[in-house]
Amino acid sequence: MFKNPLIQFAGIPVSSSDIKSCFPDLASPDKKIQTLEKQGELIRLKRNLYIVSKELTGKDTDTRLCANHIYGPSYVSIQWALRYYGMIPEQVFRMTCVTTKHSRSFKTPIGEFSYMQVPDNYFPIGVETVEENGVSFLMASREKALCDTIQHDRFVPQRSLTALSTYLEEDMRLDMDILKELDTKIIMECAKAGRKSQILTNLVKLIER
């Protein structure tokens, strides 16, 4: 019985060169990829990057893993991560990520992805490798996701602890009980390496008071 060679890529993003390697005897593997895409067996995320359809493999591809591959180095963060950790109540429909490259956005058949640029030395702080359903991907810790959100928002109060508390509770709708559980060491590392150091230092004071 014929076994489709694309099934080996179930659940993971795959490059066009890896797909071509499945069809070494074809004179025009690029045309084969175009045909597979038209047939719905391949879903293009961007140029030279695909996922194999669930209808063919029976397995979903984790969008967080896709986010790491679409534009990298990057990790999932900001509102999407805050929602994942239960820190904010709103549904988030765009996957928000952080990168050391220029900020960019991508629209794909599986959703929208946006990437915010940060300094190289700030990037790795508080980033974790998460393993779920047999795959692993990079994602911000709770602390880093909050710091990234503050870095991303131009309207965070600069000096007053009271104003910062109001911003977190009313503007972000952050769960303030979770705030007290955060590791302030990670936040202070972010304060030293990134922008808005005064705000992040105030955030630590707010958590510890």
Side-chain angles (χ1 to χ4, degrees):
M1 182 177 176
F2 170 76
K3 183 178 180 181
N4 193 317
L6 296 178
I7 291 177
Q8 66 183 299
F9 302 121
I12 58 172
V14 59
S15 68
S16 56
S17 60
D18 286 333
I19 297 169
K20 290 176 185 178
S21 69
C22 295
F23 309 100
D25 299 327
L26 294 182
S28 181
D30 287 316
K31 288 186 178 180
K32 179 65 173 179
I33 290 176
Q34 292 174 7
T35 299
L36 292 170
E37 189 178 352
K38 288 179 181 178
Q39 292 173 344
E41 293 187 16
L42 288 176
I43 299 169
R44 181 166 55 172
L45 300 180
K46 68 172 187 176
R47 184 180 180 184
N48 296 326
L49 185 67
Y50 300 82
I51 57 173
V52 183
S53 70
K54 181 183 178 181
E55 285 69 24
L56 181 65
T57 65
K59 184 175 181 179
D60 283 314
T61 305
D62 196 302
T63 52
R64 294 166 293 185
L65 179 63
C66 292
N68 286 178
H69 282 78
I70 288 172
Y71 197 57
S74 66
Y75 60 86
V76 179
S77 188
I78 314 180
Q79 286 91 349
W80 202 98
L82 293 178
R83 169 63 182 177
Y84 172 81
Y85 291 124
M87 297 174 71
I88 59 173
E90 284 80 14
Q91 291 288 342
V92 179
F93 299 101
R94 171 182 291 194
M95 186 159 287
T96 46
C97 308
V98 167
T99 182
T100 55
K101 293 183 178 178
H102 293 298
S103 298
R104 285 196 62 181
S105 295
F106 296 83
K107 288 186 177 181
T108 78
I110 63 170
E112 295 186 20
F113 300 81
S114 64
Y115 297 80
M116 178 188 75
Q117 184 182 32
V118 297
D120 289 357
N121 61 333
Y122 173 88
F123 179 87
I125 300 167
V127 178
E128 301 175 345
T129 299
V130 179
E131 295 187 13
E132 289 184 11
N133 302 317
V135 298
S136 59
F137 47 87
L138 295 179
M139 188 168 176
S141 62
R142 297 186 300 176
E143 296 83 1
K144 186 64 177 296
L146 180 55
C147 290
D148 289 343
T149 302
I150 289 172
Q151 299 278 1
H152 184 64
D153 192 339
R154 292 178 294 173
F155 303 105
V156 186
Q158 292 284 337
R159 300 185 181 280
S160 166
L161 292 187
T162 301
L164 179 59
S165 179
T166 300
Y167 163 82
L168 295 172
E169 188 168 9
E170 298 183 7
D171 295 353
M172 283 185 58
R173 299 186 67 196
L174 190 75
D175 185 330
M176 300 302 280
D177 290 332
I178 292 179
L179 185 68
K180 296 297 183 181
E181 301 172 2
L182 301 185
D183 184 347
T184 56
K185 292 180 181 178
I186 295 176
I187 299 172
M188 283 308 301
E189 284 187 59
C190 291
K192 293 174 183 177
R195 302 180 296 271
K196 301 186 179 178
S197 59
Q198 182 60 57
I199 297 175
L200 296 183
T201 300
N202 284 347
L203 177 62
V204 170
K205 292 178 181 178
L206 190 61
I207 293 171
E208 293 180 342
R209 75 177 184 181

